[in-house]
Amino acid sequence: MKKIFGEAWVYFAYFTLTLFIPSVFIYGLDLSAGDPDVKDKDINLYNYMSNERSTVFHFKVNEEFKFMIDREAPEAERVIGLGMYKPNHFPFCYFCGYYRSPHGYEKSRGFPNPYRHGDMAYSVEPEESDYYGLPPGSYATFNLKTEEFGHVMSLDEIAPDADNPKHRLQESYVLENYSLMSFYDHEDEDCQIAFGLITCLVGILIIWALFSVPIRYYKRRKQNR
């Protein structure tokens, strides 16, 4: 290795590797014993990646939406929202969580504290302003069967007692019907910082090798003449 890349390059590569391996175990393999007992028992390792400090878990509804559960909330209020998600950026998707919430400038629909009546999940809080096509005063809805996001102008369109707390979406329903996702939590920013740094170091190694290897090869050939 030293003959091909040079002694300094090899030591720099060892340094990068010593950062990478602990980071994988600290972040990528930091499995929390507090993970919910989920429906899908055959989820691969990536689906269990979650920093131990996070109390919020995400469950895939379809290719756009997911439910969020906060394990520290009171039992009857643990389902804290329905929201959208996207694949996380490379390479963070392989170490910090495969999916992420949309950024502020990206399209994102959903609502907090969902209630459920039959196949309809809905918000009991009216929209205060126009929200991605939902008119002010409307109530956001999500049909769990057809997977359509929409709205009603009155909760009476769903049920006469639609705002009764007994209809609050329960954690048990989510755990029974949906699978835990590998998700990047914004509280775990140190994970992205660590792997961002490692990615930069790998980039330096590659650029360094692209220049140093031809130069070293040329010098060896010159010496052998």
Side-chain angles (χ1 to χ4, degrees):
M1 290 283 285
K2 289 182 181 180
K3 287 183 180 180
I4 298 173
F5 298 103
E7 187 173 356
W9 188 95
V10 171
Y11 284 130
F12 194 82
Y14 283 148
F15 171 73
T16 303
L17 187 62
T18 57
L19 287 178
F20 174 75
I21 293 176
S23 294
V24 169
F25 281 91
I26 291 170
Y27 301 111
L29 300 179
D30 185 11
L31 309 185
S32 172
D35 285 2
D37 185 17
V38 298
K39 172 181 77 76
D40 191 345
K41 300 299 182 183
D42 299 319
I43 302 175
N44 62 37
L45 179 62
Y46 291 144
N47 292 83
Y48 280 111
M49 287 183 186
S50 179
N51 192 287
E52 200 170 44
R53 293 170 304 168
S54 177
T55 64
V56 177
F57 298 89
H58 304 260
F59 292 79
K60 183 176 182 178
V61 177
N62 61 13
E63 297 305 315
E64 287 186 297
F65 289 92
K66 41 86 176 179
F67 281 122
M68 296 161 281
I69 288 180
D70 185 352
R71 298 292 284 180
E72 285 195 344
E75 189 172 351
E77 301 173 1
R78 285 184 176 173
V79 184
I80 59 173
L82 171 81
M84 298 183 76
Y85 67 91
K86 290 179 174 288
N88 200 1
H89 304 294
F90 177 86
F92 311 115
C93 56
Y94 293 109
F95 305 105
C96 304
Y98 202 80
Y99 299 102
R100 63 172 175 84
S101 295
H103 298 308
Y105 57 84
E106 296 175 307
K107 178 181 178 182
S108 180
R109 297 180 295 175
F111 47 86
N113 309 320
Y115 281 52
R116 182 178 72 91
H117 189 275
D119 292 324
M120 188 66 74
Y122 56 94
S123 172
V124 294
E125 301 171 17
E127 300 297 333
E128 295 182 358
S129 58
D130 183 78
Y131 177 71
Y132 291 110
L134 304 188
S138 66
Y139 298 84
T141 63
F142 183 81
N143 192 307
L144 298 168
K145 189 172 183 180
T146 64
E147 300 180 345
E148 293 177 322
F149 188 88
H151 72 280
V152 294
M153 293 307 299
S154 171
L155 291 177
D156 289 339
E157 296 178 45
I158 298 173
D161 62 343
D163 59 351
N164 190 311
K166 72 178 182 180
H167 293 304
R168 186 78 153 75
L169 186 61
Q170 296 299 303
E171 177 188 30
S172 57
Y173 175 83
V174 176
L175 299 184
E176 226 174 277
N177 292 279
Y178 303 104
S179 299
L180 182 66
M181 302 171 70
S182 167
F183 211 87
Y184 165 66
D185 194 309
H186 294 297
E187 292 179 2
D188 301 333
E189 192 177 42
D190 47 351
C191 178
Q192 294 212 152
I193 292 172
F195 284 100
L197 173 62
I198 291 168
T199 301
C200 289
L201 294 178
V202 171
I204 291 170
L205 284 169
I206 292 172
I207 294 170
W208 189 347
L210 289 174
F211 283 96
S212 66
V213 171
I215 293 171
R216 293 178 68 83
Y217 177 75
Y218 173 77
K219 285 182 177 180
R220 280 201 303 271
R221 284 197 61 182
K222 194 174 181 180
Q223 288 173 355
N224 292 333
R225 286 178 182 173

